[in-house]
Structures are given as structure tokens and as C-alpha cells.
Amino acid sequence: MIAFPPRPSPERSRAVAPDGLPMPGRFAHLHPDDGACLMEAAALLATGRFTDSPAGTHPALAALARAVNDSVSDAARLALWPLAADLADARPEGRAYAPLLVGAVVDAARPTRPASRRLARESRACRRRAERLAQAPAGGLPGRVADVLWWRGPGRRCLEHALRVLCAAPDADQRLTRLLRQAVADARGGGTRVAAREVRCDRTA
């Protein structure tokens, strides 16, 4: 996804990272001594490995968390640090989860640009896919391949576009942190229920 310029904090926080984790930082890191992004902290808590794509986190949710981590101010990033423990074990089952999550991000962006036909089209596409997959059987290998292709293609493009819109909002920090908190709560709640709440932004590669 795409990294957006971080919003400067009014006053750079000198607080330490909670629970002995590395200090929060933007983007990926080579070693914990250099700091960590939110997903790297989640991986350390889950397995002790230093990666930004831990197996216990759904890839779509991990992409959102990385995006928010890289786009918010230092103070907002530090405030999100306790979410690392929940992100370490947040992998809802079901093929409908990814399009529901992406659709929620798109829907959150629509009030910012109510006249955008592209956002309206992307929202409909995500919802249709989620409805179709919610009724589909497990699918096996063909279904997994189709889901990966959707996520790496149109799914990721929809997410990136919506997050670009959201990151341009003057209150982007608040929107992004609220949206990520809700997404994590929904994922931990166990299903494919991802409400179209507020907003989040994007670090996307």
C-alpha cells in the first residue's frame, strides 16, 4: 500500500512503549532495537518472531494496521500500542471477512467524498462479493486462490483508494485510530461482522 506523510504531534511524546515492547515507529524495521511497527509488536507478542505479517492476524486486518501505524502522528501511534496484543490473535474465519473489511473502509470514506462514483462502485462490489462468499461453501484450493487474487488485485486497490481519501481528512488521526480499534474489536468478536463505522488510513506497500 501507500505511505502517507505522518501528522506531526503537537508535542513529541517521551513516553516509553508499554510492556517492554520496542518503541513505536513507522514502516518495517530490521531489528527491535530500531523500533517496531504495530504489527511487528504483535508478532513479537505472539511468537517472538520479528515480522510485520504474523500468522495469527488476518492479512487484510494486518494491512490496515500497518497503514494506520505509518500514517498517524507519533502520539496516536503510541496510544494504539496496546492493540498489539489483540492483533496477535485476530484471524476471523470465513471467506467473506476480507471484502467486508475493505467495504467498511470504503463506506467510511464515502461521507468525505459523497459525490464519488468510484467509492460508490467499490462499496457495491465489496458488498456483493461478501454476500456471495457468505453463502459459498468452503471452496478448497480454488477458493483460496480466488481469494488471494482478489485481495492482491481489486481488494487492495479499493482499500488503498479509500484510505487515501480518509487520510486527507483534517481529523484523520481520530478517524484512523477509531476505525482500527473497531476493526480489531470486530475481528476478535469472531466473525465476518465488520461494521461500516468510522475510518482508517494506510501505509500500504
Side-chain angles (χ1 to χ4, degrees):
M1 292 184 157
I2 298 162
F4 297 91
R7 286 160 187 80
S9 303
E11 193 175 309
R12 189 176 183 85
S13 173
R14 291 176 293 184
V16 297
D19 300 324
L21 289 173
M23 283 301 296
R26 297 181 77 210
F27 305 120
H29 301 80
L30 294 177
H31 191 275
D33 288 349
D34 300 324
C37 76
L38 186 56
M39 287 312 306
E40 289 166 341
L44 285 173
L45 289 172
T47 65
R49 294 183 58 225
F50 195 61
T51 172
D52 66 358
S53 300
T57 311
H58 193 284
L61 181 58
L64 174 62
R66 290 191 299 263
V68 171
N69 176 86
D70 293 349
S71 302
V72 297
S73 66
D74 292 343
R77 187 180 304 111
L78 183 60
L80 287 170
W81 227 229
L83 283 182
D86 289 334
L87 280 163
D89 182 22
R91 195 177 183 104
E93 298 295 330
R95 298 177 61 194
Y97 176 76
L100 278 174
L101 180 62
V102 175
V105 181
V106 173
D107 288 345
R110 292 184 67 189
T112 306
R113 292 187 186 173
S116 172
R117 294 182 180 179
R118 178 175 176 181
L119 288 173
R121 185 173 63 250
E122 291 172 341
S123 175
R124 288 193 300 271
C126 288
R127 297 300 170 184
R128 283 197 299 264
R129 181 173 180 82
E131 290 169 5
R132 190 167 63 248
L133 292 181
Q135 306 300 323
L141 181 59
R144 290 196 298 271
V145 170
D147 291 346
V148 168
L149 291 176
W150 179 84
W151 168 241
R152 292 185 177 178
R156 185 173 288 269
R157 287 194 296 272
C158 287
L159 181 64
E160 291 176 357
H161 175 234
L163 291 177
R164 272 193 291 268
V165 172
L166 292 171
C167 285
D171 58 345
D173 262 16
Q174 291 78 9
R175 291 173 176 265
L176 294 174
T177 55
R178 240 186 344 255
L179 186 53
L180 181 58
R181 289 183 191 280
Q182 185 62 55
V184 173
D186 288 342
R188 295 275 295 176
T192 55
R193 184 186 76 82
V194 180
R197 311 266 184 191
E198 291 286 357
V199 255
R200 51 185 153 197
C201 187
D202 161 347
R203 148 240 228 209
T204 60

